[in-house]
Amino acid sequence: MKNLGFELNDLFDIAQVDALNLMSLQEDKDFLLMQRQNGRPGIMLGVDMNIAQKEKRANERLKMSEKRRKRSYDEIQSLNAQVEMCSSSESDVTEDDFNKPGSSKMYVKQPTRGSIDFITSKLAAALDKCKISDRDAVHILISTEEALGGDVEKLIINL
């Protein structure tokens, strides 16, 4: 019975016949020779440095990604808090202040295309946070409204 086990061990020696000729590192050749001895005394020690470095870089990238995600989340929370503070406080500036002689009329919001003003301060803050230009924001908002099946002509889409 013991001989049968030894024959199975020899049967599962799956190295190539000319493996010793193909190997360039002496350490690899020594390991293969030890594996071919009775009882297979050869063992693998140490760490594969290439894999260890790849794993280390992957862990570092993951940590950096988590830091960026946390920082972005904190910035969004901060912006939301600022937007809520701005929207909750009453403004001392009235529309009449802009209509006085000598004042700029460009700040008076006059609907030219529609009558529904749906751009909230939170939406404007989100677009600013994502660094979307006013021109791109208009394209995105119009496309979104059309995709939802709404009438774009009813909306005020000036930023």
Side-chain angles (χ1 to χ4, degrees):
M1 199 65 119
K2 196 171 189 180
N3 288 339
L4 179 62
F6 179 71
E7 291 172 8
L8 287 177
N9 282 337
D10 290 339
L11 178 68
F12 290 110
D13 181 8
I14 57 172
Q16 293 181 348
V17 175
D18 60 343
L20 289 172
N21 296 331
L22 296 174
M23 291 182 187
S24 58
L25 295 175
Q26 186 60 39
E27 183 181 5
D28 293 341
K29 291 179 183 181
D30 294 341
F31 177 74
L32 181 58
L33 290 173
M34 285 192 299
Q35 283 293 301
R36 290 184 174 170
Q37 292 176 5
N38 290 337
R40 296 184 186 250
I43 58 171
M44 294 180 72
L45 293 177
V47 177
D48 185 349
M49 296 306 291
N50 290 335
I51 292 175
Q53 287 176 351
K54 286 179 185 178
E55 289 174 352
K56 182 180 177 184
R57 285 191 304 266
N59 286 336
E60 289 173 359
R61 283 192 300 265
L62 183 63
K63 285 179 185 176
M64 293 302 291
S65 175
E66 289 297 324
K67 276 184 175 178
R68 283 192 300 271
R69 187 175 293 126
K70 184 181 181 326
R71 189 173 58 235
S72 294
Y73 178 78
D74 291 344
E75 287 176 2
I76 289 172
Q77 293 301 330
S78 173
L79 284 174
N80 286 339
Q82 290 175 2
V83 167
E84 287 176 12
M85 285 184 357
C86 291
S87 64
S88 65
S89 65
E90 294 182 5
S91 175
D92 294 339
V93 179
T94 63
E95 204 170 305
D96 294 334
D97 292 338
F98 290 109
N99 293 328
K100 289 181 184 174
S103 67
S104 174
K105 299 225 183 220
M106 66 183 278
Y107 294 109
V108 177
K109 196 176 230 182
Q110 298 175 353
T112 56
R113 291 187 59 192
S115 58
I116 301 171
D117 188 9
F118 71 99
I119 299 176
T120 63
S121 56
K122 192 172 185 177
L123 175 60
L127 292 169
D128 286 343
K129 172 68 179 140
C130 295
K131 297 182 181 180
I132 297 175
S133 69
D134 291 350
R135 180 177 289 189
D136 290 340
V138 168
H139 291 294
I140 290 170
L141 295 172
I142 289 173
S143 298
T144 303
E145 181 63 19
E146 288 174 350
L148 293 173
D151 185 11
V152 179
E153 297 298 322
K154 293 181 181 179
L155 300 179
I156 301 172
I157 307 186
N158 304 8
L159 296 180

